[in-house]
Amino acid sequence: MGALIAAGQAPLGAWWLALPVLALLIRWLAREPHPRRAAVMALFAGAGHFAAALFWIVEPFLVDVARHGWMAPFALILISFGMALFWAGAAAFAAWAGQTPARRALALAVALAAADALRSYVLTGFPWALLGHVWIGRPVAQAAAYIGPLGLGLLTTLAAALAALAPRRGSAAALALLAAVWAGGVWRLAQPDPAPVMIEGRPFQIRLAQPNAAQDLKWQPGMQEMFFERMLAQTAAAPAPGMPSPDLILWPETAVPWLLNDPGIVLEMISQAAGGTPVALGIQRSEGLRYYNSLAVIGPGGTVGEVYDKHHLVPFGEYMPAGDLLGSLGITAFAARQGNGYSAGPGPALLDLGPLGRVLPLICYEAVFPQDLNAAPGRADWILQATNDAWFGALSGPYQHLAQARLRALEQGLPLVRVANTGVSAVIDAKGRVLASLPLNTDGFLDAPLPAAYPPTPYARSGDWPMLVLLSLLLLGLVTTRRR
């Protein structure tokens, strides 16, 4: 049952299957009055959901099978049951708080939404495969501009609980609720867009370079140079007939296999290929024994301009908790090339690109944390995500990552440009629509104008706080009424 709910996640996006199955799950769990039994039932349902949604988690372990392959099944089991603990806690609370199946169903709707909220923050957070994500790419998702991803989740669980309470009247009420939100999304999508961003009287043009460097080949001697030369060629290529030259060229995460502070003539080669056009690229840098996963802007002559260091690192991927101890056992971070991982940057930042605007940089999975975007020191003009989705395989991970980027754009009301090593590189407008893209596992470049930004959305102004307060009040109300 849980695995069928995962069908609502990208790339399938089968919300029409996920929502009825979620209603059946709520109805099934609501019949169980004993918290311990309800928790066990929800634990296995949740494990099925997360195993189906997050099976791409084994991909990093398969890059070097001889060294890390043995850990792949343990990683999938641990993350599936670890995430399912949140569902188990929600079911136990609902069984305790509700004295009747109807009350338990409503309590479970609130508790599951609260579980997604907790999962978004606890232990650095992992807000992947949230229940509200089934609406990404559908008009319902436009509500995220007002209520954010947690609000989408509560909307989803409440609709499912209504259908669970009464198959006929409840389903009709749930459909009416979703139809109203859907219609509101259609209306918002139909509103005219602001004027496009202009540079010297013409649209601001961006080029995305996608080298398609497979992760098991990316760092191999000889292959490093090949992929670098491929990106140089993409950077130097003439635009299509009738298309203007790019004003900014973007390379993906860790695109350059040399350190920023010891590049040799590499930066001059990049600038020469770009003809002096600024290039924003992913590169590693070091300060003493510390290494950073960074994004740097390279100007004419190979000069280094703005630099951003990734601050929200991937546990076990880019740094190791208790890294020295685990390192002595031969267990090191996957993405980092040195030691036991990267060091974290100081936090969200804005890069001032002058006439090209103020950009909010995100490196890889920083794009799955809406709270980090809201913590930026000011309002950006657009969002840039440099990523290496080769770690995620080719089936579901890259598409789920793209879906999250779409949600971040419409939550903030800002265009988002993502450049990915193996794809999907894309230009996304402020309503979360993909306007242009390069497919997965292809090499090439894409020239496209930067879409316009919207004024700050209600969610961009308030973040998760309204929904966190609402969920807390609903939970408190369930506790209070239970005691009475």
Side-chain angles (χ1 to χ4, degrees), residues 168-193:
R168 290 186 179 180
R169 291 184 180 180
S171 296
L175 288 174
L177 173 62
L178 294 176
V181 180
W182 191 294
V186 170
W187 174 84
R188 187 172 189 269
L189 288 168
Q191 299 308 299
D193 297 321

Side-chain angles (χ1 to χ4, degrees), residues 304-462:
V304 179
E306 297 279 287
V307 177
Y308 166 73
D309 297 322
K310 184 177 182 180
H311 73 279
H312 204 140
L313 301 176
V314 182
F316 304 102
E318 292 177 310
Y319 77 97
M320 297 296 294
D324 292 337
L325 173 61
L326 293 177
S328 67
L329 301 175
I331 301 175
T332 58
F334 296 109
R337 297 178 62 202
Q338 303 285 342
N340 293 327
Y342 292 120
S343 295
L350 295 178
L351 304 184
D352 188 354
L353 303 186
L356 305 182
R358 296 203 305 170
V359 61
L360 174 61
L362 307 171
I363 297 179
C364 196
Y365 104 138
E366 286 183 322
V368 310
F369 298 98
Q371 61 267 35
D372 287 354
L373 278 71
N374 284 330
R379 177 73 171 171
D381 296 308
W382 56 287
I383 304 168
L384 165 60
Q385 182 194 12
T387 186
N388 178 17
D389 288 3
W391 287 108
F392 301 154
L395 293 177
S396 63
Y399 297 107
Q400 292 174 8
H401 206 199
L402 170 65
Q404 292 242 37
R406 297 178 65 181
L407 195 59
R408 299 293 88 81
L410 73 88
E411 287 166 358
Q412 296 293 323
L414 293 175
L416 187 150
V417 180
R418 75 186 316 259
V419 54
N421 174 37
T422 55
V424 177
S425 298
V427 177
I428 302 167
D429 75 0
K431 294 176 181 175
R433 296 172 294 193
V434 177
L435 302 184
S437 64
L438 285 168
L440 191 65
N441 294 333
T442 60
D443 69 88
F445 68 90
L446 172 67
D447 289 340
L450 179 70
Y454 273 65
T457 63
Y459 180 76
R461 297 179 187 276
S462 64

Side-chain angles (χ1 to χ4, degrees), residues 28-29 32-43 91-92 95:
W28 179 53
L29 291 173
E32 178 52 65
H34 299 286
R36 183 175 298 180
R37 287 202 290 265
V40 172
M41 293 159 61
L43 177 68

Side-chain angles (χ1 to χ4, degrees), residues 21-385:
V21 177
L22 179 59
L24 289 174
L25 176 63
I26 291 176
R27 184 178 178 86
W28 179 53
L29 291 173
R31 292 175 177 174
E32 178 52 65
H34 299 286
R36 183 175 298 180
R37 287 202 290 265
V40 172
M41 293 159 61
L43 177 68
F44 283 92
H49 173 265
F50 290 109
L54 304 177
F55 69 87
W56 53 263
I57 202 71
V58 304
E59 295 289 347
F61 300 90
L62 303 181
V63 172
D64 187 350
V65 175
R67 185 176 182 183
H68 299 125
W70 65 272
M71 290 186 279
F74 297 101
L76 183 59
I77 292 171
L78 285 173
I79 196 168
S80 299
F81 279 93
M83 296 296 103
L85 287 174
F86 291 92
W87 281 28
F93 171 81
W96 172 84
Q99 302 302 307
T100 65
R103 287 179 60 83
R104 287 193 288 271
L106 291 175
L108 186 56
V110 175
L112 284 173
D116 273 357
L118 282 175
R119 195 158 58 84
S120 300
Y121 286 90
V122 170
L123 298 177
T124 78
F126 190 61
W128 203 296
L130 300 182
L131 291 171
H133 287 171
V134 301
W135 302 112
I136 297 175
R138 304 292 186 268
V140 173
Q142 297 299 312
Y146 304 91
I147 59 177
L150 302 184
L152 280 182
L154 181 59
L155 171 69
T156 305
T157 58
L158 286 176
L162 285 173
L165 285 171
R168 290 186 179 180
R169 291 184 180 180
S171 296
L175 288 174
L177 173 62
L178 294 176
V181 180
W182 191 294
V186 170
W187 174 84
R188 187 172 189 269
L189 288 168
Q191 299 308 299
D193 297 321
V197 180
M198 306 295 285
I199 298 289
E200 298 179 353
R202 61 177 178 82
F204 176 7
Q205 197 79 355
I206 290 178
R207 172 169 293 183
L208 312 181
Q210 181 172 296
N212 192 31
Q215 194 58 43
D216 59 339
L217 303 176
K218 180 178 172 67
W219 300 114
Q220 289 188 13
M223 300 302 292
Q224 294 179 353
E225 291 78 6
M226 186 194 77
F227 293 129
F228 178 69
E229 291 171 1
R230 183 179 290 178
M231 283 185 287
L232 286 180
Q234 294 168 354
T235 299
M243 294 283 287
S245 298
D247 300 294
L248 179 65
I249 300 170
L250 306 177
W251 288 20
E253 179 187 12
T254 59
V256 180
W258 296 276
L259 292 173
L260 180 63
N261 43 298
D262 187 21
I265 63 170
V266 167
L267 301 185
E268 289 89 340
M269 294 172 65
I270 295 171
S271 178
Q272 183 178 7
T277 299
V279 180
L281 49 80
I283 190 169
Q284 298 172 106
R285 70 179 193 89
S286 67
E287 289 183 4
L289 296 178
R290 293 184 176 272
Y291 288 80
Y292 297 88
N293 187 357
S294 305
L295 186 140
V297 180
I298 309 303
T303 57
V304 179
E306 297 279 287
V307 177
Y308 166 73
D309 297 322
K310 184 177 182 180
H311 73 279
H312 204 140
L313 301 176
V314 182
F316 304 102
E318 292 177 310
Y319 77 97
M320 297 296 294
D324 292 337
L325 173 61
L326 293 177
S328 67
L329 301 175
I331 301 175
T332 58
F334 296 109
R337 297 178 62 202
Q338 303 285 342
N340 293 327
Y342 292 120
S343 295
L350 295 178
L351 304 184
D352 188 354
L353 303 186
L356 305 182
R358 296 203 305 170
V359 61
L360 174 61
L362 307 171
I363 297 179
C364 196
Y365 104 138
E366 286 183 322
V368 310
F369 298 98
Q371 61 267 35
D372 287 354
L373 278 71
N374 284 330
R379 177 73 171 171
D381 296 308
W382 56 287
I383 304 168
L384 165 60
Q385 182 194 12

